[in-house]
């Protein structure tokens, strides 16, 4: 059976890829295909790892953010351990069939949330010393550094060369993308390093099924808005929850992102709230939860009473004042939904792929059709 590599370059907007900077990735695209697909909304990391790994949208897998809030109990927590996923991942399915899997991630939480069934787990945050020795790897650099992604792809190459697991999922940290635009020297150097390792992996076996995609895009923003403060000041009793919220503050120090879940308390006059939200020029869309659930395939019970999306240059944030005008790079809105998909030896032809979710969806369907024969 052919081997599969699924690479998710965290925050890899289309502009980071080019013939000049990433020639090996572009070659894979010429041997197979290169197209633009869409991430799940909100365009944040956890939601999209869950979407890609399960081949389903959040209404099936249950993950709606990097952060969790239970309005009944008031319980709030980061999603960084097992137990949040309602659906099997492709890694679980392979493991059940006795096939070998590997999960490599710069961010440790990805391994904790998605790695329960995985045989070989490598994270730059909590490296296993014995495994590093066996794979001839140096100690990893800091998670939020320009070197961490190079390290994880070096690990990926060494692992595939040595063990060649049946299914490998390798993902990075978007620290670079949050800090450097595609045209900067740092971004080009960094992307060339990733590209170097992907080229080496491809050359090990041209029959390998390879998918290279992103969890979300990345865009410059110049307006941060603290909606909680704005709504408090107007007397609307709400809890605003940013699905992007996580512990990687080097990436987004104000937890700034393009989607916000708004939970309303009983006393709130909903028509007034909706009218106010719609009057704000930087709020692109206001969805009542049932509509948001339908449009974006989200679970209605876990997205607040309203879902609002920011325009292309705004992010909702936990800033000291209601508004802060500052240059940042971040994601989370509809404007970071477009992502690349480069693939060779894919299960279906290019035109079948619309969402990043389709990659694993088609692998699972293909496995089921083989079983049915
Ligand atoms: Zn991400």
């Amino acid at each position: 059976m052919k081997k599969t590599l699924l690479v998710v370059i965290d925050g890899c907007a289309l502009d980071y890829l080019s013939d000049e900077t990433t020639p090996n990735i572009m070659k894979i695209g010429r041997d197979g295909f290169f197209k633009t697909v869409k991430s799940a909304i909100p365009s944040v990391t956890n939601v999209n790892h869950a979407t890609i790994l399960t081949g389903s949208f959040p209404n099936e897998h249950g993950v709606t953010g990097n952060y969790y809030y239970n309005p009944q109990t008031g319980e709030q927590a980061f999603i960084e351990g097992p137990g949040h996923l309602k659906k099997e991942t492709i890694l679980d399915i392979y493991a059940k069939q006795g096939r070998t899997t590997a999960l490599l991630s710069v961010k440790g939480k990805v391994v904790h949330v998605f790695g329960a069934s995985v045989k070989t787990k490598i994270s730059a945050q909590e490296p296993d010393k014995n495994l590093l020795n066996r794979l001839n790897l140096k100690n990893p650099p800091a998670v939020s550094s320009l070197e961490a992604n190079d390290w994880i792809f070096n690990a990926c190459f060494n692992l595939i060369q040595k063990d060649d697991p049946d299914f490998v999922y390798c993902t990075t940290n978007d620290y670079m993308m949050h800090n450097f635009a595609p045209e900067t020297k740092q971004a080009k150097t960094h992307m060339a390093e990733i590209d170097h390792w992907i080229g080496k992996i491809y050359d090990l076996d041209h029959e390998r099924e390879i998918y290279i995609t992103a969890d979300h895009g990345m865009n410059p923003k110049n307006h941060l808005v603290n909606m909680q403060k704005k709504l408090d000041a107007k007397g609307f009793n709400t809890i605003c929850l940013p699905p992007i919220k996580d512990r990687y503050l080097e990436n987004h120090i104000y937890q700034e992102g393009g989607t916000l879940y708004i939970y309303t308390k009983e006393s709130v006059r909903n028509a007034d709230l909706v009218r106010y939200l719609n009057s704000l020029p930087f709020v692109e869309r206001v969805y009542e939860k049932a509509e948001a659930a339908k449009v974006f395939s989200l679970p209605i019970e876990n997205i607040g009473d309203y879902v609002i999306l920011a325009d292309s240059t705004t992010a909702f944030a936990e800033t000291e004042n209601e508004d802060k005008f500052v240059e940042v790079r971040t994601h989370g809105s509809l404007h970071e939904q477009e992502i690349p998909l480069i693939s060779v030896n894919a299960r279906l032809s290019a035109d079948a792929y619309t969402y990043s979710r389709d990659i694993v969806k088609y692998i699972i369907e293909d496995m089921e059709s083989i079983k049915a024969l």
Side-chain angles (χ1 to χ4, degrees):
M1 245 216 271
K2 73 178 160 188
K3 309 281 181 160
T4 304
L5 170 65
L6 175 44
V7 170
V8 178
I9 304 175
D10 200 320
C12 190
L14 284 144
D15 290 349
Y16 284 104
L17 302 172
S18 68
D19 284 324
E20 176 208 353
T21 309
T22 55
N24 292 303
I25 293 175
M26 301 311 270
K27 180 181 186 315
I28 292 172
R30 280 193 300 278
D31 291 352
F33 64 81
F34 182 149
K35 70 176 298 189
T36 303
V37 295
K38 288 177 174 182
S39 77
I41 293 293
S43 50
V44 301
T45 300
N46 264 14
V47 173
N48 279 288
H49 281 312
T51 296
I52 294 169
L53 276 165
T54 62
S56 71
F57 285 121
N59 56 358
E60 288 184 57
H61 63 63
V63 177
T64 58
N66 297 330
Y67 194 80
Y68 177 81
Y69 171 66
N70 182 332
Q72 275 82 46
T73 61
E75 181 199 351
Q76 302 190 31
F78 292 105
I79 294 182
E80 49 193 4
H84 296 278
L85 267 186
K86 294 190 176 134
K87 201 161 187 272
E88 281 182 324
T89 68
I90 186 69
L91 298 165
D92 300 335
I93 295 169
Y94 265 63
K96 264 208 220 155
Q97 296 180 352
R99 300 175 73 191
T100 51
T101 57
L103 172 54
L104 300 94
S105 169
V106 170
K107 293 176 179 173
K109 73 170 179 183
V110 176
V111 170
H112 293 299
V113 176
F114 303 105
S117 70
V118 176
K119 182 160 178 256
T120 307
K121 296 176 245 206
I122 302 178
S123 103
Q125 221 164 351
E126 297 147 357
D128 171 343
K129 288 277 177 317
N130 293 330
L131 189 58
L132 296 199
N133 279 339
R134 191 169 75 76
L135 295 177
N136 204 9
L137 290 166
K138 284 187 267 184
N139 281 330
V143 170
S144 296
S145 71
L146 287 177
E147 293 76 32
N149 291 350
D150 182 48
W151 186 89
I152 204 76
F153 277 105
N154 183 359
C156 188
F157 172 77
N158 288 14
L159 175 71
I160 289 177
Q161 195 180 36
K162 201 149 196 160
D163 296 355
D164 205 4
D166 295 313
F167 197 105
V168 177
Y169 190 82
C170 181
T171 184
T172 59
N173 181 7
D174 54 5
Y175 169 79
M176 185 284 275
M177 286 77 170
H178 274 287
N179 288 287
F180 299 101
E183 63 277 11
T184 60
K185 188 168 168 284
Q186 290 89 340
K188 288 183 177 179
T189 304
H190 178 94
M191 290 307 300
E193 285 168 358
I194 292 177
D195 183 73
H196 159 81
W197 290 114
I198 289 177
K200 279 177 71 111
I201 293 169
Y202 184 40
D203 284 341
L204 287 175
D205 173 11
H206 276 208
E207 300 298 304
R208 190 180 310 278
E209 177 184 25
I210 298 178
Y211 304 91
I212 303 159
T213 189
D215 50 349
H216 52 78
M218 187 73 69
N219 276 313
K221 316 276 173 186
N222 54 32
H223 184 194
L224 303 184
V225 177
N226 189 325
M227 278 307 301
Q228 185 75 68
K229 287 217 155 90
K230 276 196 191 294
L231 294 176
D232 290 350
K234 290 276 170 196
F236 293 113
N237 193 3
T238 67
I239 297 231
C240 294
L241 191 72
I244 200 168
K245 186 166 178 158
D246 69 17
R247 289 190 205 272
Y248 298 95
L249 290 178
E250 295 86 350
N251 292 354
H252 37 78
I253 62 167
Y254 304 108
Q255 305 288 10
E256 65 274 24
T259 300
L260 199 65
Y261 300 143
I262 302 176
Y263 291 85
T264 57
K265 302 280 175 66
E266 274 164 22
S267 58
V268 172
R269 287 168 56 95
N270 288 327
D272 292 349
L273 174 64
V274 170
R275 199 173 306 119
Y276 174 65
L277 292 170
N278 275 318
S279 76
L280 300 169
F282 49 81
V283 173
E284 193 166 87
R285 297 296 294 268
V286 180
Y287 293 99
E288 192 271 320
K289 65 179 174 184
E291 194 189 359
K294 194 160 160 234
V295 174
F296 301 118
S297 302
L298 292 165
I300 195 164
E301 67 280 5
N302 212 359
I303 55 173
D305 296 298
Y306 295 94
V307 177
I308 63 170
L309 296 168
D311 72 5
S312 64
T313 56
T314 301
F316 304 119
E318 296 183 347
T319 46
E320 267 175 39
N321 299 320
E322 287 183 22
D323 296 273
K324 185 178 177 74
F325 294 92
V326 60
E327 303 283 332
V328 300
R329 297 178 57 76
T330 194
H331 53 96
S333 80
L334 281 175
H335 301 278
E336 291 79 37
Q337 191 180 23
E338 283 202 343
I339 46 172
L341 172 60
I342 300 97
S343 182
V344 67
N345 303 316
R347 301 286 161 130
L348 294 180
S349 60
D351 51 342
Y353 294 85
T354 307
Y355 294 94
S356 57
R357 161 301 299 239
D358 296 335
I359 300 166
V360 162
K361 178 175 184 271
Y362 295 145
I363 293 174
I364 293 171
E365 284 173 7
D366 194 38
M367 290 164 82
E368 282 168 356
S369 73
I370 291 167
K371 227 175 17 188
L373 285 179

